[in-house]
Amino acid sequence: MAGKKESTFINMVLVLFIVTLVASAALGGLYELTKEPIAAAKLAKKLNAIKEVVPNFNNNPSDEVYKIGVNAKDTLEFYPAKKDGKLVGTAVKTFTTNGFSGYVWLMVGFKPDGSINNYSVLEHKETPGLGSKMAAWFKPSDPAKVKASIINKNPGKLNFTVSKDGGDIDAITAATISSRAFLDAIQTAYNEYMKKQKEGGSSNE
């Protein structure tokens, strides 16, 4: 009887091992199948964001990308956009950790003088629906909301904080924390962009 129980136990362990092995192999195979399409989709999203935020260019900004670490684990990415060899703008993949739910990632495009050409929201974990508000709020078509706009404004010449904090930019209605985070990401990108410009890190020719 004891031998039978032992045999049954061994069989159960063997079956469990085989099931685990097959499941692991299946997950590994699925990861390999989806890894490249996911990476390609992320790259396409990034390239589209670059095109959206800087003036027309005819180089490949990804070939001239440079990166700057801003803390122990996060990095800003800078994509110089050039037209016939002349710098027309730089797209910066930037972030903040001060969002209501953590990280907010943006792509912001600066003209050579540091003013903002456009921006795109890449990723966030804020309140559902806030992403679409964030994507439109800071570039309003309504002239009455010009104080909410960051387009063509220079973070070095204005107080790029929300008006509630004494700044020059109107926050998204009922979303002050997310608005602060958004502007923080823009300011971080601007500070590093201008620092690199002063160092002569990106040529206009």
Side-chain angles (χ1 to χ4, degrees):
M1 190 74 172
K4 186 176 181 181
K5 286 183 178 179
E6 184 178 343
S7 176
T8 302
F9 177 75
I10 291 173
N11 288 339
M12 288 173 62
V13 171
L14 186 60
V15 169
L16 183 60
F17 174 76
I18 293 172
V19 169
T20 303
L21 189 65
V22 170
S24 298
L27 285 173
L30 183 63
Y31 171 75
E32 288 300 322
L33 284 172
T34 58
K35 182 172 66 173
E36 288 190 13
I38 289 173
K42 285 185 176 180
L43 179 60
K45 185 176 181 180
K46 183 188 293 184
L47 292 174
N48 287 335
I50 292 171
K51 291 177 183 178
E52 184 179 342
V53 303
V54 292
N56 289 334
F57 56 90
N58 54 19
N59 71 318
N60 184 352
S62 294
D63 289 343
E64 301 182 48
V65 63
Y66 58 94
K67 301 179 181 181
I68 298 175
V70 292
N71 58 37
K73 64 175 183 175
D74 295 307
T75 302
L76 301 184
E77 298 176 4
F78 297 76
Y79 297 87
K82 298 179 179 180
K83 183 80 168 180
D84 299 329
K86 184 177 181 180
L87 186 71
V88 294
T90 300
V92 184
K93 184 182 178 185
T94 183
F95 74 97
T96 181
T97 58
N98 297 331
F100 187 77
S101 300
Y103 278 88
V104 175
W105 287 92
L106 310 172
M107 187 75 78
V108 57
F110 294 104
K111 299 173 187 176
D113 66 356
S115 59
I116 295 168
N117 185 68
N118 203 351
Y119 72 88
S120 176
V121 178
L122 298 178
E123 187 177 338
H124 71 89
K125 294 180 181 178
E126 303 299 275
T127 305
L130 186 57
S132 57
K133 287 184 180 179
M134 197 182 296
W137 181 271
F138 298 103
K139 45 185 173 184
S141 55
D142 183 354
K145 295 182 179 179
V146 67
K147 197 175 176 184
S149 178
I150 66 168
I151 306 303
N152 295 319
K153 293 180 180 177
N154 190 315
K157 296 180 179 179
L158 294 172
N159 184 345
F160 251 59
T161 57
V162 298
S163 51
K164 186 176 181 179
D165 297 335
D168 295 317
I169 310 297
D170 283 347
I172 300 171
T173 304
T176 302
I177 294 175
S178 296
S179 298
R180 285 177 179 140
F182 175 91
L183 295 174
D184 177 60
I186 299 290
Q187 189 70 55
T188 297
Y190 173 82
N191 291 345
E192 295 300 329
Y193 171 70
M194 293 309 295
K195 189 187 300 182
K196 192 70 174 178
Q197 291 292 88
K198 289 175 182 176
E199 292 172 358
S202 184
S203 172
N204 288 341
E205 298 301 329

